[in-house]
Amino acid sequence: MSAAEVHDAAAALAAFHESRAGVRGLVESGVTTVPPIFLTRTASPPLQQESPAAAFSIPTVDLSLPRPDAVALIRAAARSCGFFHATNHGVPAGVVASAVSTARAFHEQPRAARSALYSLEPGGGAVAYSTIPNAPLQQQEGAPLLPWRDTLRVRFGPWEDGEPDLGRLRPAACRDALREYHSALAGFGKEVAGLLSEALGVGAERLEEAMRVEGWLMACHYYPPCPEPARVVGSLEHTDPSLFTVLAQDGVGGLQVRRDGDGDGGGGEWVDVEPVAGALLVNIGDVLKVVSNDELKSVEHRVVIKSTQDARVSIALFFNPARRDKSDLLGPLPELVTPEKPALYRSFTFPEFMSSREYGHSRSSIERFKVNSSQ
């Protein structure tokens, strides 16, 4: 961008954040065209591009199957597309539905109620609401400055002084629903960690022993309807900086994964991830890709806006190592390192990994941790 364009974009960004109303506020104001700070500025293929291979679908794993069968299905999914739908997962349907509906209620409550929580601080307290920029202004290369998405971030730890205060969450039902959902997902996350550990052939308790798996950060995303959906992004293509992520979503759709890419964020086709009623969606993150010594895949995904009428709501809970002191090193599990397949990554701490990530949703940074990497 030219100096004048940078100046204008910076002013527009500042005004948008100062409104503290989010993208939902634009919809409430009755906009009929998308403001420039949300528009893509490249000649790349349309964001609605998807694969003509309609037969492709994300695998579904029925967790009520005999455990060896479920492990085999998860192994195949995690090695191929990096995603799977989990059904019969033991999390009550009412708990999931209540969390999604109250997350929607938070985003659709009057502007004054939600704007009180507006904050762009990445750490902060237990709750924060904002439209998180795609990247700093100076780093834009044709991508929109902002996604067509508002996010309520709820942090459940780690805390030195006990459970965080979620009292600022409104409506009041949101507090209990999200807390209950988080509690239910904690057990499910431990189960998934065990299944993935078995899928790696290292025993059901190995990942838990090595890292202590916890889901502390929850992101309740709200993608408002858009008057020009093909001209915006719900989220840019990215991989998750986690061991794995568990996603609950409504039926609107919009999530896409890159299938059969070149492994470096290029090539391949974008395919829709159709919501599966009653399922929780699990995807492999970059940390688990490293820990597995590339046995499992962390796949790029993005969100496109599908509707001019309906908002999409999703809740992502990110499971990560709770062992994250300077002495807690991450790297390929020793059992997965052989003369035939030596360690592909050097060891690093979780804070070091997180500091290597680009701002916001971004592509993987794990290449810089590869053995003999020049980065």
Side-chain angles (χ1 to χ4, degrees):
M1 290 188 287
S2 68
E5 289 174 324
V6 169
H7 178 272
D8 291 346
L13 275 172
F16 174 82
H17 290 308
E18 286 169 6
S19 76
R20 305 173 69 86
V23 182
R24 170 73 181 176
L26 295 177
V27 174
E28 291 171 328
S29 72
V31 294
T32 57
T33 59
V34 174
I37 54 176
F38 292 91
L39 296 177
T40 57
R41 298 183 301 282
T42 66
S44 59
L47 287 171
Q48 298 290 349
Q49 170 201 5
E50 59 188 67
S51 169
F56 175 81
S57 63
I58 297 297
T60 295
V61 180
D62 182 347
L63 296 186
S64 69
L65 290 170
R67 193 172 180 92
D69 295 340
V71 168
L73 291 171
I74 288 172
R75 180 187 299 114
R79 286 179 170 178
S80 58
C81 65
F83 279 74
F84 62 90
H85 292 287
T87 59
N88 291 314
H89 42 67
V91 180
V95 171
V96 179
S98 180
V100 172
S101 65
T102 57
R104 180 184 296 275
F106 170 87
H107 287 284
E108 295 182 352
Q109 67 186 321
R111 167 179 167 175
R114 63 182 192 270
S115 66
L117 291 174
Y118 200 90
S119 173
L120 291 173
E121 293 298 322
V127 295
Y129 160 70
S130 66
T131 301
I132 305 170
N134 285 320
L137 181 62
Q138 296 81 359
Q139 297 180 17
Q140 296 302 306
E141 297 180 357
L145 302 179
L146 292 173
W148 196 261
R149 181 197 68 221
D150 298 328
T151 298
L152 170 67
R153 289 163 288 162
V154 184
R155 191 176 295 276
F156 292 88
W159 308 99
E160 296 181 359
D161 302 320
E163 186 176 348
D165 178 18
L166 303 182
R168 299 176 68 202
L169 272 176
R170 298 289 186 274
C174 198
R175 297 194 299 272
D176 293 337
L178 294 184
R179 186 183 283 117
E180 184 178 12
Y181 178 71
H182 176 261
S183 178
L185 262 289
F188 175 68
K190 298 290 187 182
E191 177 70 7
V192 170
L195 289 163
L196 288 167
S197 192
E198 284 191 64
L200 287 171
V202 294
E205 302 301 322
R206 185 65 173 99
L207 289 178
E208 179 68 12
E209 291 171 350
M211 289 168 283
R212 191 161 65 84
V213 180
E214 298 288 351
W216 282 330
L217 180 62
M218 180 184 294
C220 302
H221 296 309
Y222 182 84
Y223 303 85
C226 181
E228 301 175 287
R231 303 187 71 194
V232 301
V233 297
S235 73
L236 293 174
E237 57 267 30
H238 67 283
T239 54
D240 287 355
S242 59
L243 280 164
F244 58 89
T245 304
V246 178
L247 187 80
Q249 59 181 324
D250 62 18
V252 173
L255 178 64
Q256 296 182 336
V257 301
R258 192 192 293 274
R259 183 186 180 209
D260 298 331
D262 60 15
D264 295 310
E269 298 174 308
W270 287 106
V271 295
D272 286 333
V273 179
E274 297 294 343
V276 173
L280 293 170
L281 183 66
V282 179
N283 68 275
I284 307 303
D286 286 346
V287 173
L288 189 52
K289 175 180 167 67
V290 168
V291 168
S292 74
N293 206 28
D294 275 1
E295 286 294 313
L296 308 183
K297 293 182 68 173
S298 176
V299 175
E300 278 197 334
H301 48 286
R302 67 183 186 183
V303 175
V304 298
I305 304 302
K306 289 288 189 179
S307 178
T308 60
Q309 301 295 325
D310 299 318
R312 174 180 185 259
V313 176
S314 67
I315 302 178
L317 187 62
F318 302 96
F319 285 86
N320 276 307
R323 305 187 194 281
R324 50 178 68 186
D325 292 335
K326 291 182 179 179
S327 60
D328 295 318
L329 295 177
L330 296 170
L333 291 174
E335 302 96 312
L336 302 178
V337 176
T338 66
E340 294 74 27
K341 189 176 182 181
L344 300 176
Y345 302 92
R346 67 172 177 83
S347 296
F348 53 86
T349 66
F350 190 76
E352 181 186 6
F353 169 71
M354 291 304 296
S355 67
S356 75
R357 293 281 294 191
E358 297 175 8
Y359 189 90
H361 277 182
S362 58
R363 290 178 174 173
S364 174
S365 62
I366 61 175
E367 289 296 314
R368 67 189 64 188
F369 297 104
K370 276 201 166 183
V371 175
N372 298 324
S373 171
S374 61
Q375 299 184 19

